[in-house]
Amino acid sequence: MTADLRYPLGPMPTPLELSAQEREEALEHLRRLPDELRAAVGGLSNTQLDTRYRDGGWTVRQVVHHVAESHMNAFIRVKLALTEEHPMIKPYEEDLWAELPDAQLPPEVSLTLLDALHARLLPVLKGVTDWSRPWTHPAQGRTYTLDSLLALYAWHGRHHVRHITALREREGW
Ligand code: NI
C-alpha cells in the first residue's frame, strides 16, 4: 500500500534507448508538465498544501518545489552531457533540499520557475542529435545516456503530479 502511494506510476525507468516515437512522447510530457502541475494544486488551501501526500512523505507544497529543483538539475545535466565528454554529474540530497526554507514558499514561485525552465529545457532537448551522449552518476557508478535522462524526467514529472492528484481523489478535494 505504501509502495503504491509512493510509486503510483510504477518505478523509475532504468537506462534504455528510446524509439523516435517514445522520445516525442517524452518531450510532450515535459512540455505539458508545468501546466499539469499548476492544475494539480489549483484551488488548494494552505492547509491542504501542507498535507503529506502519504504518511512520512513530502507535503504537496514540498512536492511542487522538489519538481522544480529536480528539473533544474536535469537542465544542468543535459547541458553538461551536450557540451562535455562523458561528464560526471553532481548528485544532491533531495530530502535535505526539501527541508530548506524555500520549500515553504507559495507553490506559484516554483510553478513560475518551471514555466521558464521548461521553456528553455524543451528547445535544448529538441535540438539533440545524439541521444547516446553519456554522463556518469558518481554515487551509483553507472553511466547513462541522454535517452535515459529524457525517460527519467518525463516519468518524474508525471510521478509527482500523480502524488498530488491521487491525494486529492482520496481526500475528495
Ligand atoms: Ni522526485
Side-chain angles (χ1 to χ4, degrees):
M1 183 64 178
T2 302
D4 288 346
L5 290 179
R6 189 168 194 180
Y7 290 101
L9 303 182
M12 121 180 16
T14 48
L16 74 177
E17 186 179 329
L18 300 180
S19 68
Q21 169 153 1
E22 288 168 331
R23 285 180 198 131
E24 283 303 313
E25 289 170 2
L27 288 168
E28 181 61 15
H29 285 312
L30 286 175
R31 188 187 67 76
R32 291 202 304 252
L33 175 67
D35 286 345
E36 290 178 350
L37 189 58
R38 180 174 270 110
V41 298
L44 291 180
S45 68
N46 275 322
T47 303
Q48 290 167 330
L49 289 169
D50 290 326
T51 301
R52 298 182 188 280
Y53 81 86
R54 64 174 173 88
D55 284 344
W58 285 327
T59 65
V60 172
R61 186 189 305 274
Q62 285 174 306
V63 168
V64 172
H65 294 306
H66 161 73
V67 172
E69 59 202 17
S70 168
H71 290 212
M72 284 191 271
N73 276 277
F75 180 70
I76 300 295
R77 290 171 186 186
V78 169
K79 297 204 40 151
L80 287 172
L82 287 172
T83 57
E84 299 180 17
E85 293 305 319
H86 215 127
M88 187 82 80
I89 60 96
K90 178 74 179 74
Y92 65 103
E93 300 292 340
E94 62 180 23
D95 285 325
L96 297 178
W97 283 37
E99 299 299 329
L100 294 175
D102 57 321
Q104 298 308 315
L105 289 166
E108 186 56 36
V109 176
S110 280
L111 294 171
T112 303
L113 192 161
L114 264 177
D115 283 337
L117 181 67
H118 278 225
R120 293 190 59 178
L121 177 61
L122 265 291
V124 174
L125 289 172
K126 286 181 177 173
V128 170
T129 54
D130 179 5
W131 288 95
S132 70
R133 285 192 71 86
W135 49 279
T136 295
H137 190 293
Q140 299 167 357
R142 287 171 76 174
T143 292
Y144 298 87
T145 63
L146 282 179
D147 256 341
S148 49
L149 188 148
L150 176 63
L152 170 62
Y153 286 97
W155 167 86
H156 183 256
R158 294 160 56 236
H159 163 76
H160 285 299
V161 166
R162 188 62 192 141
H163 285 157
I164 298 168
T165 58
L167 173 68
R168 294 187 74 153
E169 287 168 14
R170 292 199 304 277
E171 296 290 338
W173 291 347

